[in-house]
Amino acid sequence: MRYLPLTQPDREAMLGVIGAKTIDDLFVDVPEAARLSGPIAGLPMHASELAVERHMTALARKNLAAGEAPFFLGCGAYRHHVPASVDHLIQRGEFLTAYTPYQPEIAQGTLQMLFEFQTQVARLLGTDVANASMYDGSTACWEAIGMARRVTKRGKAILSGGLHPHYVSVAKTMAKYTGDHLETSLPTLSAETDIDALIAAIDDDTSCVVVQYPDILGRVADLRPLADAAHAKKALLIAVVTEPVALGALKSPGEMDADIVVGEGQSIGVGLQFGGPYVGLMGCKEKYIRQMPGRFCGETVDAEGKRGFVLTLSTREQHIRREKATSNICTNSGLCALAFSIHMTLLGEAGLRALAATNHSGAVAAAERLAKVPGVELVNDSFFNEFTLKLSKEARPVVRTLADKGILAGVSLGRLYPDAAGLANGLVVAVTETTTPEDVETLASALQEALS
């Protein structure tokens, strides 16, 4: 539906009804000094729709699209193939216009989808229950820390050095206002994770330990010893998953006794989209469900015995209770959750496992090939579809050089940790089903030239 602006007679009629002579009369309460007296410096004047389209197209040509180059970027945002049927189905009117159900029982299609989404996420994360989505992985991570504070009545969270630095940044920002104390550290450029150090740091004041699985360097660790150590001190284990496809091959955090599991669902059904919108996943043990933020859809029957869906728990939006609320985030990612659920349904369990196997085998082949390049050392001894290379030169300028040649080589740790000199030579490389052997060979050749 196109937006049609008002005609001048329309404006005059509306002004007449409210008793104003001109539109300027509507702003008499705004001080003259605060009013704009002319065009905004540096911004172009208005243009026709055609002219704007041409200008934006010209700007877009300066971008290097993910599908037009060898692509090895990851670190929390992954390029996967999303079937065309996903985009087609999410645009159906009964889904696209429903958004978040304010009068939920009317939106039965949306509620049923969210109910099925919860089931899929709970099975994927290995948790008893899952909510009907969060904003994204980083804010879901913070919500889990806040939830742990409510459960344990403690205010100290220990964050693994392998947790994505952007997730750490979000947590630090929020902790300024809640008083939570966050213990953080940096990762080391080695195959060893910091599980032992985390276990040693847990004390009687600890509310939770937050660990990423696989971590920012792609390393995979057994979380069971960490869960046991946390529970011995009556603290919670929070596991963060930024690549949900990995759970098609790896044991889920819930199976390793994690209390709360959160993650980013972008890999399944949702494209990269210049950084968003994404969809946060969150599950937990059933005994903590009433401290969990978000909404939960449930299945029931109506007065006639027909199956129906309702919001069994709804702890925010119009029901918010300010400081007593479990969350002050005001919505979820309903459309992205729908895309996730449709893609997951199309894959099925066998399809997800096959997709995970394809990702892992491709990553293993790429790691073996790239490790043969002079000046390149493979850091990981375990990984899923993402691994870290240690280069003989600082990685950031190498990535820039390769980008200028049309190769998106990966994410330099120097970009993520600009003040950590010990990480400057690290390069995180992600390989998915969209990566071809030719792409890997192109990267290997370019790396060899850049490091020579």
Side-chain angles (χ1 to χ4, degrees), residues 385-406:
N385 68 349
E386 192 168 28
F387 51 85
T388 300
L389 303 176
K390 184 177 181 180
L391 308 183
S392 58
K393 294 181 179 180
E394 185 181 349
R396 201 165 188 180
V398 172
V399 168
R400 180 70 266 168
T401 297
L402 268 57
D404 291 340
K405 295 181 179 180

Side-chain angles (χ1 to χ4, degrees), residues 360-379:
H360 181 59
S361 62
V364 169
E368 292 175 349
R369 172 65 184 93
L370 296 172
K372 295 177 181 178
V373 175
V376 174
E377 176 189 345
L378 177 63
V379 171

Side-chain angles (χ1 to χ4, degrees), residues 195 199 202 209 211 222-233 235-237 253 256-259 285:
I195 296 295
I199 291 174
I202 302 171
V209 182
V211 60
D222 182 0
L223 302 184
R224 173 66 72 167
L226 184 58
D228 292 342
H231 296 155
K233 292 289 188 178
L236 304 187
L237 174 60
M256 291 182 280
D257 210 20
D259 299 284
K285 293 179 178 177

Side-chain angles (χ1 to χ4, degrees), residues 431-444:
V431 175
T432 71
E433 73 281 2
T434 66
T435 310
T436 67
E438 293 77 17
D439 291 337
V440 175
E441 195 58 43
T442 299
L443 175 59

Side-chain angles (χ1 to χ4, degrees), residues 42-384:
L43 288 183
M45 298 299 290
H46 71 277
S48 68
E49 183 176 337
L50 180 59
V52 171
E53 286 179 354
R54 286 173 175 168
H55 178 66
M56 299 302 291
T57 301
L59 292 177
R61 289 196 188 101
K62 298 181 179 181
N63 292 328
L64 179 60
E68 297 175 358
F71 187 91
F72 297 92
L73 302 178
C75 283
Y78 302 92
R79 181 178 177 237
H80 289 284
H81 172 68
V82 179
S85 50
V86 172
D87 187 58
H88 174 75
L89 290 172
I90 67 173
Q91 292 187 62
R92 289 183 61 91
E94 56 264 53
F95 287 135
L96 191 62
T97 60
Y99 180 56
T100 294
Y102 285 95
Q103 295 175 297
E105 288 70 28
I106 296 174
Q108 284 292 297
T110 295
L111 289 183
Q112 180 173 350
M113 178 279 297
L114 292 176
F115 180 79
E116 294 172 0
F117 169 86
Q118 292 168 182
T119 305
Q120 292 169 329
V121 172
R123 291 193 61 186
L124 186 69
L125 303 182
T127 56
D128 297 332
V129 293
N131 68 15
S133 90
M134 304 292 285
Y135 268 144
D136 59 13
S138 64
T139 49
C141 177
W142 164 253
E143 292 291 339
I145 295 172
M147 179 178 166
R149 173 176 16 89
R150 294 191 296 274
V151 170
T152 65
K153 311 301 183 186
R154 301 172 181 175
K156 185 175 84 171
I158 302 172
L159 277 54
S160 165
L163 180 62
H164 197 301
H166 294 171
Y167 286 44
V168 174
S169 178
V170 168
K172 286 182 176 179
T173 297
M174 297 301 293
K176 293 177 183 177
Y177 307 101
T178 64
D180 285 80
H181 173 67
L182 307 182
E183 288 192 359
T184 63
S185 59
L186 294 174
T188 57
L189 204 56
S190 70
E192 296 296 322
T193 65
D194 60 353
I195 296 295
D196 291 339
L198 293 172
I199 291 174
I202 302 171
D203 60 22
D204 293 332
D205 296 323
T206 303
S207 67
C208 62
V209 182
V210 186
V211 60
Q212 186 169 315
Y213 175 82
D215 74 5
I216 188 65
L217 303 189
R219 301 171 299 194
V220 181
D222 182 0
L223 302 184
R224 173 66 72 167
L226 184 58
D228 292 342
H231 296 155
K233 292 289 188 178
K234 294 182 170 52
L236 304 187
L237 174 60
I238 298 172
V240 178
V241 179
T242 63
E243 170 53 298
V245 175
L247 300 182
L250 302 176
K251 182 177 290 188
S252 70
E255 290 179 83
M256 291 182 280
D257 210 20
D259 299 284
I260 307 171
V261 186
V262 296
E264 175 54 66
Q266 172 269 322
S267 284
I268 300 176
V270 183
L272 289 170
Q273 307 193 68
F274 299 97
Y278 286 173
V279 53
L281 312 178
M282 191 172 199
C284 70
K285 293 179 178 177
E286 186 173 3
K287 62 183 177 181
Y288 301 131
I289 188 170
R290 287 194 174 275
Q291 291 300 331
M292 197 179 188
R295 50 174 57 85
F296 297 84
C297 294
E299 182 180 344
T300 186
V301 293
D302 64 13
E304 298 177 358
K306 297 178 181 177
R307 183 180 71 160
F309 297 90
V310 296
L311 281 186
T312 304
L313 291 175
S314 180
T315 58
R316 43 194 175 140
E317 294 271 359
Q318 65 268 42
H319 312 298
I320 205 150
R321 296 191 300 159
R322 298 188 180 183
E323 71 278 359
K324 294 182 180 180
T326 56
S327 170
N328 283 310
I329 286 182
C330 291
T331 190
N332 62 355
S333 296
L335 191 61
C336 293
L338 171 64
F340 177 101
S341 194
I342 291 173
H343 193 181
M344 187 69 82
T345 302
L346 292 171
L347 284 170
E349 182 176 342
L352 179 64
R353 294 192 183 280
L355 177 61
T358 298
N359 274 246
H360 181 59
S361 62
V364 169
E368 292 175 349
R369 172 65 184 93
L370 296 172
K372 295 177 181 178
V373 175
V376 174
E377 176 189 345
L378 177 63
V379 171
N380 304 59
D381 57 13
S382 65
F383 57 89
F384 170 62

